[in-house]
Amino acid sequence: MFFENIIKAIILGIIEGITEWLPISSTGHLILADEFIKLNASEAFMTMFNVVIQLGAILAVMVLYFNKLNPFSPSKTTEENRETWSLWFKVIVAIIPSVILGLPLDDWLEENFHSFLPVAIMLIVYGIAFIIVEKRNKTKTPKVTDLTQITYQFALLIGMFQVLALIPGTSRSGATILGGILIGASRFVSAEFSFFLGIPTMFGASLLKIVKFITSGNSFDMNGIVTLLVGTVVSFIVSIIAIKFLMNYIKKNDFTAFGWYRIVLGIILIGYWAFMM
C-alpha cells in the first residue's frame, strides 16, 4: 500500500506540475485524477494533499525568478531593488480580493464545486473565453509590456480576476492571465505576474488546508508525510519544465490551443459524468 501511494503521488505531482502553470486548471485536473488514481488515504488527507503539493510548484517559481524577486540583490541598482519592492507590494494588493472572499467561502466552495460537472463546465467556459479574447486581441497592441508598468490599480484588477479561480476548473493562472490580457498587458507580462501572484496565494491556501486538517482531529503519520513530500518534490521538478515551456511557447504563440484543449476535455468529462449517472 505504501509503495502504491508513492507511485500515485508521483503521478499526481506530475499532473500538478504541468497544470499549475498552463492555463488548464490544476485543481480541476487533480479532482478528475482522483476519480481514477485514488490515494489510499482519507478524504481529508486527499483534500489537503491536492492543495499542499502546490508548494512544490511555487518553489519552482521562486528558484527560476529568484533574482527578479529578490529586493536585496547586490547585483541590482538601488532603483532596481526599489522596483522589486514595488512589485511585491503590488502582489500583496492583488491577493486582497482572494483573501476577503476565499477565506469565508472556502468550505462552501469545496462542498459544492469540487466535483466532475462544475469542473467540466468551467473548463469549457474559460476555454471559450480564451479563444474569444485571443481572437479579439489579434489586432491590438498591449499597453503594458513590462512588469514595471504595472500599476496598483492594474494589480487589484488582476486580483479580482483571481477570485474567479476559487471555483475548480477555472484555473488560477488561466483567470489571471486572461484578466491581464483583457486589461491591456502582454501575454508575457500577464504570465509572469500570475506566477508571482501565485506565491502568497498558494502559500496561504496550503497553510489554511494544513491547519484545517490538523484542527479537524487528523494527524500526519510517516506514510502520509512521505507521500506528501514525494508529490511536492515531483511537482517542483515538473513545474520548472512547465514554466520554461510556457514562457518560450507564448513568445511565438497565443493561448488558443489551451482554449480548445479545455473545451474538448470538458466535453469528454460531461459525457463521462452523464454515462456514470
Side-chain angles (χ1 to χ4, degrees):
M1 182 183 295
F2 174 70
F3 289 108
E4 182 182 335
N5 261 8
I6 295 301
I7 297 300
K8 290 178 179 178
I10 291 172
I11 295 171
L12 294 172
I14 292 171
I15 293 172
E16 163 62 25
I18 293 173
T19 59
E20 183 60 52
W21 306 114
L22 305 186
I24 53 178
S25 177
S26 62
T27 303
H29 277 74
L30 288 171
I31 290 171
L32 302 175
D34 185 51
E35 186 75 14
F36 309 101
I37 310 170
K38 289 187 179 293
L39 286 174
N40 296 309
S42 66
E43 189 68 31
F45 181 86
M46 276 304 307
T47 300
M48 181 270 300
F49 176 90
N50 284 346
V51 175
V52 174
I53 61 170
Q54 294 176 347
L55 288 176
I58 281 302
L59 288 173
V61 171
M62 296 175 72
V63 168
L64 287 173
Y65 290 95
F66 180 77
N67 188 59
K68 184 172 281 192
L69 292 170
N70 181 12
F72 304 104
S73 175
S75 65
K76 292 180 179 178
T77 64
T78 302
E79 178 60 28
E80 287 171 334
N81 279 323
R82 189 178 296 117
E83 288 174 352
T84 305
W85 277 116
S86 176
L87 175 61
W88 275 112
F89 292 142
K90 289 165 187 173
V91 166
I92 291 170
V93 166
I95 67 171
I96 292 173
S98 293
V99 171
I100 293 173
L101 293 174
L103 287 175
L105 292 177
D106 184 64
D107 290 335
W108 182 80
L109 288 167
E110 188 174 304
E111 182 179 340
N112 292 280
F113 289 93
H114 279 237
S115 58
F116 252 70
L117 190 57
V119 168
I121 291 172
M122 288 299 101
L123 283 169
I124 293 171
V125 168
Y126 282 90
I128 293 171
F130 264 113
I131 293 170
I132 291 173
V133 169
E134 287 292 11
K135 188 173 182 179
R136 166 185 172 271
N137 276 28
K138 277 194 182 295
T139 57
K140 291 181 180 274
T141 301
K143 298 175 183 177
V144 179
T145 56
D146 189 271
L147 284 170
T148 57
Q149 296 177 297
I150 291 177
T151 63
Y152 284 98
Q153 182 183 15
F154 179 99
L156 186 60
L157 286 172
I158 293 293
M160 291 178 181
F161 275 97
Q162 182 171 249
V163 170
L164 300 173
L166 292 171
I167 301 177
T170 299
S171 171
R172 191 201 62 78
S173 64
T176 49
I177 289 172
L178 195 65
I181 294 172
L182 277 171
I183 58 180
S186 67
R187 297 184 192 94
F188 204 87
V189 168
S190 297
E192 281 200 335
F193 192 72
S194 174
F195 295 164
F196 305 155
L197 180 54
I199 296 173
T201 301
M202 289 156 64
F203 264 120
S206 298
L207 180 61
L208 178 64
K209 290 299 181 185
I210 291 173
V211 170
K212 282 187 175 181
F213 181 77
I214 295 173
T215 55
S216 297
N218 302 292
S219 60
F220 290 98
D221 57 18
M222 186 53 66
N223 288 353
I225 292 172
V226 172
T227 300
L228 193 58
L229 284 174
V230 168
T232 303
V233 170
V234 172
S235 170
F236 168 76
I237 295 169
V238 176
S239 286
I240 288 178
I241 298 169
I243 291 169
K244 288 182 176 181
F245 164 78
L246 181 63
M247 299 313 284
N248 285 325
Y249 177 85
I250 61 177
K251 288 177 181 177
K252 298 179 181 178
N253 304 277
D254 60 23
F255 288 102
T256 301
F258 295 112
W260 283 113
Y261 169 83
R262 294 177 63 107
I263 292 170
V264 171
L265 180 61
I267 291 171
I268 291 172
L269 294 176
I270 288 176
Y272 176 81
W273 176 80
F275 176 77
M276 293 299 290
M277 289 293 289

